[in-house]
Amino acid sequence: MKNKNVTIWLTGIISLLCLFFLTYTWKANNINDDAIKYASKSGKYVPAKKQNFIDSLWKEKVFLGSTTEEVFKRQLQKGLDLQGGLHVILEVSPIEIIRSLSGNSTDAKFRKALTDAQNAQATSNENINNLFYDAYAKAGGTSLAIVFANSTNRGKINYQSSNAEVKKMIDSEVEDAIDRSYKIIRSRVDKFGVTNPVIQRIPGSGRIQVELPGIDNPERVKKLLTGAAKLEFCEVYEIQSYNAGLEQLGAYLTSKDLEEKIASKKVTSTDTSKAGNSLESALAGKGAAKKDSALADSTSQIGLAKLFFPIGNGDLGVFIKDTAKVNEIFRRPEVKTMFPQDLSFVYDVKSKTETTKGNRDFVEMYAIKRLAGGKAALEGDVISDARSDYDEMRRIEVTMGMNSEGARKWKNVTAANIGKRIAILLDNNVYSAPVVNGEIPNGRSSITGSFTLEEGQDLANVLKAGKLPAPTRIVEEAYVGPSLGKEAINQGYLSMAFGLGLVVLFMILYYGNPGWVANIALIFNIFFIIGVLVQITAVLTLPGIAGLVLTLGMAVDANVLINERIKEELKAGKGLLNAINIGYEKALSAIIDGNVTTILIGVILIIFSAGSVKGFGVVLCIGLITSVFTSVFISHIIMEWLAKRVIAAGNEKKMTFETFISKGVFANLNFDFIGKRKYSYWASWGLIAIGFAAIIYKGGFNLGVDFKGGRSYIVEFNSPVEASKVRDVISPNFRNNSLEVKTYDTNDKLKITTSYLVEDESLEASNKVKDALSAGLSNFSAQAPKILSESKVGATIADDILRTSFLSIFYSLISIFIYIWIRFRKWQYSLGGVIALLHDALIVLGMVGICRVFGWSLEVDQVFIAAVLTVIGYSINDTVVVFDRIREYLGPNPDLSNKPLMIETINKSINQTMSRTVMTATTVFLVVTVLLFFGGEVLRGFSFAMFIGCLIGTYSSIFVAAPIVVDFQRKKLATATVTAEINPSKSNKKK
């Protein structure tokens, strides 16, 4: 083997890298186990205590110089379907922003254009802004400036502005509003205290994806995520104004600690001598660090001076890990009485690093003044504009303007606070606290400081949050309870273990020692896949585990192709070592072609899918890439080493690629596949016709929630229940809207799906539907129903998902057509391959309809479509094997017009590659069968589609793809003898 040393070194380096990154997963699991033990000390598991334990170590270095935060970020990330949590997609409505920019114009043409744009959006991928501009022009609107030149947009456009200038302003404001909403949501998520949240903008849309693992109160979180941004301007209390309260707080916490210590008989003379120390002495600046140890621990064993420490501007600093404790202290009624009634403590939005006490992260705490009812001196609705720029001294300057009412109030507030600070708060976080230099009479203010350009832009965006409403609504959501996530993990791991066991056993029984070589390569492949997933911080989902299981079967396909090729070379009289090298060399093109076509499918899944299905695409691509390396290069080294050993021992003939099971299988096969192609055509299209007749008979597909919109719930009972009985009882609560109730995985679980209030995407509507469900389930209180998970997909996003899913199938077929054309240089090959793939997809869909007629209803959803795409990618593998053998016989640029020669060659190619075609299908079929029985309800549709696709894909590679190449050749010799078609051997004699 060439470059053997390179392969060995590369294998070693990759293995060490994978091992290194996987150790972070091991450490993260250890920390998580310790946190669970800590949270269960009282005999009852308390989730908040677990999070507190992790938070206390969050910035501490715990492993190889990495903090707990870094360890958790570098571990193998699990999707919400495996660990539980909340997934939401929020949509920022550009239409509402455009309406606001117009000053809520009542212009009839403008209002009609907005309505038409919204309607057009349901069936178009075009940017909503462009849809509005087109609709406005069609409605007879001329100048956009007539609608948008108002006080809101003063200084940006005027009545003389061109349509292009107005469009540029609208596009900029809409983009700014979406970005502002994203930053506000990101800031809010930081408050939830979850480990490894995901917040990202979805490119090309006004949508924001948020994933929060471990959330146990989804309703509260959804409310916080969708609430309107609250911008406030509040006066700041200086520390001298509330120092007496701090002194009382110090004495109070010290006495509390002493009471606890006395009760536990742990108090000492040293403790009592420390009792008189107050927070004032700790914060006095002189010897503050020395006083830390003189402060007694609070009731939660956190030292008082460790809770607060002075920072340069007279405010207090609080370490990030202590904020939860500080918040709890200030909520105590007895503590509230120590401070002025109008005083509230709030935090700065950004954390900083304290360098004298272990480089720990802290946040600045401000004391602000609120008016009666908790109101601020001024709120953000008075802001008319804000922007960031450079002043004359090249400093970053943020300017803001206010409307007339705001200017009047601002004048009074600034006049009363000259030389003092005014805090600017968004969602109760301080973004800036500038000092007032003088009375501001006209509402035009500038804020300067040591801003970076980005910080200045962020502050300007914060100020604009009060100007333009960017309402967010939840268009998709899914909540998975921890118990359901744990069950999904168990099902996934069980499937992987069974799948691996079956493949390993099959390869040994069929190939003997070479089977062991393939299995070693397979173990390397699994190790590399998981290692790469960790290195690129990809998220492992339940469909991702399915992809991993599927990769087990597809990975050994390469070794099957190699072993079958080596067997042919041995039969041709080649020596063992020579046959091995030739086998690997000749099998390489088919392996690469087959894997590239399937990788194309994985890439399309990554581009067009989201969430768990995207995770499947990632695992599939990684698995196929690593399988080429392990199956072709690593296994080659092992096989060559094994062959040299048996040759050296004089036992060359004992190393065979057959066992008592496989010996003679497919030997001397000589079937006229092309001559019988018309029968296969009738069988195929007949099955497709029956399938679609069944679909029509049942009124179409049973679409999942992600395709038709609606809300879905998984409900668990403590004993088996009848789905039909539950449906009859709860149906009136949903006012006779579409309702489906079916058994989910086991007889004590139901999946309940409804279209009730599907068009209403408000949080109130979601609560109303859930209340209706809970009211209906109350009739089954004896069986203690419990909602394990819930999901919602809005009607608009459901249309988008359905459209992109079928587009992904279309693009898959096109990309494979182009690739096959490039590789085989004849469009007939491409057409034959694509028609076979379309045939496979149609039969899989048709079988869903047939199963539904017989009472087994499978949902067609994103995961199912992912399976159809995988069938397309898998099926082309076998087709490529046949095409590759045809190319080997005819050369890279054959004359396909010689029909008798083509028929003979294709028949010969199919017969000679039959063992490979069937054996590669067998390995995949084994793992797919395991998924079907052990993968759980979530993967049931996926497993079924792959089960049928595996069988049909093998059939179509033989009876559809290759015959199509013959039938679509040029008609130059269409009058070729019938004998040539029926008996290839006679045709050969005539040549």
Side-chain angles (χ1 to χ4, degrees), residues 99-110:
R99 182 179 284 115
S100 178
L101 284 169
S102 75
N104 292 312
S105 172
T106 57
D107 181 89
K109 295 174 182 177
F110 168 75

Side-chain angles (χ1 to χ4, degrees), residues 444-503:
R444 300 297 301 180
S445 309
S446 66
I447 305 169
T448 56
S450 56
F451 299 130
T452 63
L453 179 60
E454 183 179 322
E455 287 171 340
Q457 291 171 342
D458 286 349
L459 180 55
N461 276 334
V462 166
L463 294 170
K464 289 169 72 174
K467 172 200 167 230
L468 274 180
T472 58
R473 58 196 177 109
I474 296 176
V475 294
E476 180 181 328
E477 67 178 85
Y479 171 69
V480 180
S483 61
L484 202 60
K486 186 176 180 180
E487 184 178 310
I489 288 179
N490 292 336
Q491 289 172 335
Y493 289 167
L494 184 64
S495 300
M496 192 157 54
F498 268 100
L500 178 62
L502 282 177
V503 170

Side-chain angles (χ1 to χ4, degrees), residues 565-566 569-570 574-584:
R565 192 78 194 203
I566 293 172
E569 299 302 325
L570 288 172
K574 304 285 174 54
L576 177 60
L577 202 56
N578 196 24
I580 289 172
N581 290 327
I582 294 173
Y584 273 92

Side-chain angles (χ1 to χ4, degrees), residues 262-273:
I262 291 170
S264 62
K265 298 181 181 180
K266 291 183 180 180
V267 69
T268 67
S269 59
T270 307
D271 293 325
T272 54
S273 69

Side-chain angles (χ1 to χ4, degrees), residues 922-981:
T922 302
T923 57
V924 176
F925 185 76
L926 288 173
V927 296
V928 168
T929 304
V930 168
L931 277 176
L932 186 62
F933 285 99
F934 299 103
E937 192 65 34
V938 174
L939 296 177
R940 192 76 70 209
F942 176 92
S943 308
F944 176 79
M946 283 301 304
F947 184 87
I948 299 298
C950 186
L951 297 173
I952 295 300
T954 304
Y955 163 84
S956 68
S957 298
I958 299 168
F959 289 98
V960 179
I964 290 289
V965 175
V966 174
D967 288 331
F968 277 88
Q969 67 178 290
R970 287 171 294 184
K971 300 297 182 181
K972 185 175 177 181
L973 293 179
T975 57
T977 61
V978 177
T979 308
E981 277 193 52

Side-chain angles (χ1 to χ4, degrees), residues 661-703:
I661 293 176
S662 59
K663 191 172 184 178
V665 176
F666 301 111
N668 303 318
L669 190 64
N670 185 23
F671 186 78
D672 183 14
F673 293 99
I674 302 301
K676 304 296 189 295
R677 66 187 184 279
K678 292 181 180 178
Y679 298 108
S680 63
Y681 290 168
W682 278 108
S684 294
W685 301 119
L687 184 58
I688 291 171
I690 293 170
F692 278 82
I695 292 168
I696 294 169
Y697 172 72
K698 296 300 291 185
F701 292 109
N702 178 26
L703 297 179

